[in-house]
């Protein structure tokens, strides 16, 4: 039964004339006549009003059904969740404009549906919004590629490998004592960089820059201290400075997802070996952490694991965050245990990334892992970046974007101009722009280049630029720690860490960073 027949049947069953029906829903009689003749279709808002008024499901109007379905919201026969209690990360229909932006960037032919995305996104949380979200997901899942889309971005490893350009072959790893120090430097560099950015995670630069200037820390050159944050400042800034962790109030690295994932990767390799599978990773996630330890794409994947979806479908099912930064922060360990072998590091990174991400979300993890593997055998920053690029498709948006930063640096573009260009291309005031793989990979690349091999300067550049501050500080610190060894990280950075890393991983409360490095060395082939 079509929607025109459904509307006519509902109206006549209610013994309403077309004029009466039109009056109830604020339209003309001619509009009702056109709906019932099939000349036009009501907009989504009207469909929802009709469904609510006559106490029928939207399915009655939209799908092939000649049965009038009553929505028994309070009946024990129709049990529904308390939608207000469901996190937006776990409800696809709560993030439809993110889905729209993501789909357009992927080249999916969905632009004609923009009004539908917008209309449904404005609905309150509930069963109707969920159902419309399901329909939109089907539209996205079955969408064709838009004509003229210039990128080729597979999510399968063999196809990714076919599109590599200039990938570097395996090199001899450093001798054991040197490698052990590099691995320790990478762990320590990651953790210190993460702590630097964790203090201001989620802030936008319209408040970050004035705050840094007010505290005498701009350009940024040190940790932010709680002792310099006054009560008056806490009240004046919208960002909740009073609730953050600070280098002068912590004794060790507090729990953070950026460091949890590095420990998780070590556990996976320890339990499953170097030939672990994506399925092994998914089971480890369920075993070692609770749901709330995961965010955005990882939260969606976790929920999908619970509901029986396995990789790679777990990355694709109702996941509007599928190209966000989550995988890019998870690949460091695979670089640590494959020194001089970026291809092996990228392969492992793929197996980890594909459980929750697609396309550029996967490439981000492969890029970082390969860079770190390369940093074990060279300290040349440009070469390290090129090694990372060599493991991802040269036909991708990530490759194009990172290469643009590298080319700007080589042309003599200033750091200020380069970071400014990133802000022009990506909007930090939208969660999609702020948390996307590409925007943050560009920041990591620029911080490595313009930091000139100086650890403190580089991680500070990564953080003061905004976007995902703790992730970018951690990644830059990890690359430099591997390239230059632990000596590049001065005592002012390492002292607050006190060789201590806290995690939320079940059974792993507190770790020695030096011990983590020693265990890592045992996983190097």
């Amino acid at each position: 039964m079509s929607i025109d027949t459904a509307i006519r049947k509902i109206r006549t069953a209610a013994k309403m004339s077309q004029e009466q029906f039109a009056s109830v829903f604020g339209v003309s009689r001619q509009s009702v006549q056109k709906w019932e003749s099939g000349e036009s279709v009501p907009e989504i808002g009207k469909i929802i009003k009709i469904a609510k008024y006559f106490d029928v499901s939207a399915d009655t109007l939209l799908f092939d059904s000649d049965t009038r379905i009553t929505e028994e919201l309070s009946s024990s026969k129709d049990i529904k969740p308390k939608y207000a209690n469901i996190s937006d990360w776990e409800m696809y229909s709560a993030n439809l404009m993110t889905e729209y932006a993501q789909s357009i960037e992927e080249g999916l032919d969905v632009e004609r549906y923009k009004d539908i995305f917008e209309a449904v996104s404005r609905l309150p949380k509930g069963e109707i919004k969920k159902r419309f979200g399901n329909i939109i997901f089907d539209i996205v899942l079955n969408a064709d590629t838009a004509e003229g889309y210039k990128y080729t971005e597979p999510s399968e490893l063999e196809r990714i490998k076919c599109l590599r350009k200039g990938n570097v072959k395996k090199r001899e790893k450093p001798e054991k004592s040197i490698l052990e120090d590099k691995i320790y430097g990478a762990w320590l560099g990651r953790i210190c960089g993460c702590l630097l950015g964790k203090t201001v995670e989620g802030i936008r630069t319209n408040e970050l820059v004035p705050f840094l200037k007010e505290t005498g820390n701009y350009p940024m050159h040190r940790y932010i201290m709680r002792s310099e944050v006054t009560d008056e400042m806490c009240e004046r800034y919208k960002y909740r400075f009073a609730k953050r962790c600070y280098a002068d109030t912590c004794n060790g690295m507090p729990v953070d997802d950026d460091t949890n994932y590095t420990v998780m990767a070590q556990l996976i390799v320890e339990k499953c070996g170097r030939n672990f599978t994506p399925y092994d990773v998914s089971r480890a996630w369920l075993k070692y952490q609770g749901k709330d330890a995961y965010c955005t794409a990882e939260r969606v994947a976790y929920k999908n694991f619970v509901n029986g979806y396995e990789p790679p479908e777990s990355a694709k099912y109702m996941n509007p965050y599928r190209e966000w930064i989550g995988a890019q922060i998870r690949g460091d360990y695979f670089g640590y245990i494959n020194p001089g072998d970026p291809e092996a590091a990228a392969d492992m990174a793929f197996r980890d990334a594909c459980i929750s991400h697609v396309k550029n979300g996967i490439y981000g993890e492969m890029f970082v892992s390969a860079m770190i593997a390369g940093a074990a055998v060279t300290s040349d920053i440009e070469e390290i970046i090129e090694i990372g690029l060599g493991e991802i498709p040269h036909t991708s948006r990530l490759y194009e974007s990172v290469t643009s930063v590298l080319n700007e640096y080589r042309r003599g573009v200033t750091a200020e101009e380069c970071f400014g260009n990133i802000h022009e291309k990506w909007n930090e005031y939208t969660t999609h722009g702020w948390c996307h793989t590409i925007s943050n990979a560009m920041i990591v690349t620029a911080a490595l280049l313009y930091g000139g091999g100086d650890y403190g300067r580089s991680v500070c550049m990564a953080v003061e630029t905004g976007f995902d501050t703790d992730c970018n500080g951690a990644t830059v610190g990890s690359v430099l720690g591997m390239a230059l060894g632990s000596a590049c990280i001065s005592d002012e950075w390492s002292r607050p860490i006190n060789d201590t890393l806290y995690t939320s991983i079940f059974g792993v409360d507190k770790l020695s960073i030096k011990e983590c490095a020693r265990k890592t060395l045992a996983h190097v082939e």
Side-chain angles (χ1 to χ4, degrees):
M1 183 174 67
S2 59
I3 190 170
D4 53 332
T5 304
I7 291 175
R8 184 169 59 253
K9 186 172 183 178
I10 288 173
R11 178 182 63 78
T12 56
K15 296 182 170 39
M16 295 174 69
S17 66
Q18 287 187 340
E19 288 85 355
Q20 290 170 323
F21 192 91
S23 176
V24 169
F25 299 106
V27 297
S28 66
R29 183 190 64 78
Q30 288 80 5
S31 293
V32 176
Q33 188 177 42
K34 288 181 179 180
W35 293 348
E36 294 186 357
S37 67
E39 290 183 51
S40 66
V41 176
E43 62 183 9
I44 286 178
K46 297 298 184 187
I47 292 174
I48 293 169
K49 285 184 178 179
I50 293 170
K52 284 185 174 180
Y53 184 88
F54 290 102
D55 196 24
V56 301
S57 73
D59 294 355
T60 301
L61 301 175
L62 292 171
F63 299 115
D64 292 334
S65 171
D66 59 2
T67 302
R68 184 175 176 180
I69 305 169
T70 302
E71 300 263 339
E72 299 175 343
L73 295 178
S74 60
S75 170
S76 61
K77 295 180 181 179
D78 195 8
I79 301 172
K80 292 183 174 65
K82 186 76 171 178
Y83 286 102
N85 295 339
I86 301 175
S87 165
D88 283 357
W89 292 339
E90 299 170 39
M91 192 169 179
Y92 178 79
S93 60
N95 298 280
L96 293 177
M97 295 317 296
T98 294
E99 176 63 89
Y100 180 76
Q102 169 68 41
S103 297
I104 291 294
E105 289 168 9
E106 283 184 278
L108 300 182
D109 187 15
V110 299
E111 190 170 358
R112 67 189 122 160
Y113 300 107
K114 184 178 181 182
D115 290 347
I116 296 176
F117 278 84
E118 290 177 337
V120 178
S121 71
R122 289 193 292 268
L123 295 174
K125 269 187 175 181
E127 187 69 18
I128 290 176
K129 185 171 186 175
K130 176 185 175 182
R131 291 185 182 186
F132 276 114
N134 293 346
I135 295 170
I136 288 175
F137 176 69
D138 284 339
I139 291 172
V140 171
L141 191 64
N142 294 288
D144 294 326
T145 300
E147 186 177 351
Y149 188 67
K150 69 176 185 176
Y151 303 101
T152 302
E153 299 176 328
S155 297
E156 301 79 29
L157 184 58
E158 292 310 312
R159 291 184 63 204
I160 290 171
K161 288 184 175 182
C162 289
L163 294 172
R164 295 178 303 181
K165 183 178 180 181
N167 61 303
V168 176
K169 301 306 178 185
K170 184 176 181 179
R171 303 186 196 179
E172 190 68 29
K173 60 179 175 283
E175 64 178 62
K176 184 176 179 180
S177 60
I178 295 174
L179 180 58
E180 184 171 8
D181 180 68
K182 282 177 169 287
I183 289 173
Y184 173 58
W187 272 95
L188 187 60
R190 178 168 185 75
I191 291 167
C192 294
C194 184
L195 178 59
L196 176 70
K198 186 175 179 67
T199 302
V200 287
E201 180 185 8
I203 199 172
R204 271 43 176 184
T205 50
N206 65 324
E207 289 203 315
L208 175 59
V209 172
F211 171 78
L212 292 175
K213 289 180 177 179
E214 187 172 354
T215 55
N217 194 11
Y218 190 83
M220 200 175 197
H221 56 275
R222 57 172 173 79
Y223 285 123
I224 299 168
M225 303 297 181
R226 181 64 179 90
S227 57
E228 61 193 358
V229 181
T230 65
D231 291 342
E232 186 272 332
M233 292 166 68
C234 291
E235 292 178 4
R236 180 158 38 91
Y237 286 95
K238 292 181 180 178
Y239 186 76
R240 300 178 66 188
F241 283 105
K243 302 295 183 179
R244 309 308 302 178
C245 71
Y246 293 87
D248 57 343
T249 61
C250 67
N251 181 26
M253 177 64 200
V255 172
D256 191 275
D257 58 341
D258 291 78
T259 49
N260 276 346
Y261 285 125
T262 314
V263 176
M264 180 81 79
Q266 187 170 72
L267 277 171
I268 290 168
V269 175
E270 183 178 307
K271 302 294 184 182
C272 303
R274 292 172 59 91
N275 293 320
F276 67 87
T277 66
Y279 183 77
D280 291 332
V281 179
S282 72
R283 298 310 95 178
W285 280 25
L286 293 173
K287 179 178 180 180
Y288 290 119
Q289 288 193 129
K291 179 189 70 172
D292 290 346
Y294 301 96
C295 306
T296 61
E298 285 73 20
R299 180 76 70 89
V300 173
Y302 188 96
K303 177 186 173 186
N304 287 341
F305 302 153
V306 172
N307 289 330
Y309 295 91
E310 296 181 7
E313 285 73 19
S314 54
K316 301 171 185 176
Y317 185 70
M318 292 197 170
N319 185 1
Y321 317 110
R322 56 192 177 271
E323 285 194 317
W324 282 20
I325 195 177
Q328 187 164 278
I329 70 175
R330 302 196 323 244
D332 292 51
Y333 195 75
F334 309 123
Y336 298 171
I337 64 174
N338 289 289
D341 194 350
E343 183 172 22
D347 283 6
M348 288 186 180
F350 171 85
R351 282 179 260 150
D352 179 86
C354 72
I355 74 171
S356 57
H357 286 74
V358 303
K359 301 182 181 182
N360 294 274
I362 292 174
Y363 310 155
E365 182 165 351
M366 297 177 75
F367 170 64
V368 168
S369 299
M371 279 202 297
I372 293 171
V377 294
T378 180
S379 59
D380 184 304
I381 300 298
E382 292 184 52
E383 184 180 6
I384 289 170
I385 293 167
E386 288 175 335
I387 288 171
L389 287 171
E391 295 301 328
I392 67 173
H394 73 278
T395 55
S396 65
R397 286 166 282 146
L398 179 61
Y399 187 99
E400 178 184 73
S401 298
V402 170
T403 300
S404 72
V405 173
L406 187 56
N407 288 339
E408 285 182 357
Y409 174 78
R410 288 170 172 169
R411 289 199 311 268
V413 171
T414 67
E416 183 178 4
E417 291 172 329
C418 181
F419 285 116
N421 290 338
I422 296 171
H423 275 272
E424 286 183 9
K425 293 174 183 174
W426 292 90
N427 184 1
E428 68 171 312
Y429 297 98
T430 67
T431 53
H432 185 67
W434 181 86
C435 210
H436 201 278
T437 290
I438 297 176
S439 55
N440 290 286
M442 293 174 77
I443 290 170
V444 166
T445 302
L448 286 169
L449 291 167
Y450 289 98
D454 181 288
Y455 176 84
R457 185 183 181 199
S458 300
V459 293
C460 284
M461 278 186 166
V463 171
E464 74 180 15
T465 305
F467 289 83
D468 205 334
T469 53
D470 63 329
C471 295
N472 296 335
T475 299
V476 169
S478 192
V479 173
L480 287 177
M482 178 64 88
L484 305 174
S486 63
C488 77
I489 305 164
S490 64
D491 186 59
E492 67 174 315
W493 295 110
S494 61
R495 189 186 314 110
I497 302 301
N498 194 28
D499 190 42
T500 302
L501 171 63
Y502 293 95
T503 87
S504 63
I505 295 172
F506 300 150
V508 184
D509 175 49
K510 184 171 71 171
L511 293 166
S512 159
I513 300 165
K514 290 179 179 176
E515 184 58 34
C516 288
R518 283 194 289 270
K519 187 179 291 187
T520 303
L521 191 63
H523 291 161
V524 175
E525 192 169 69

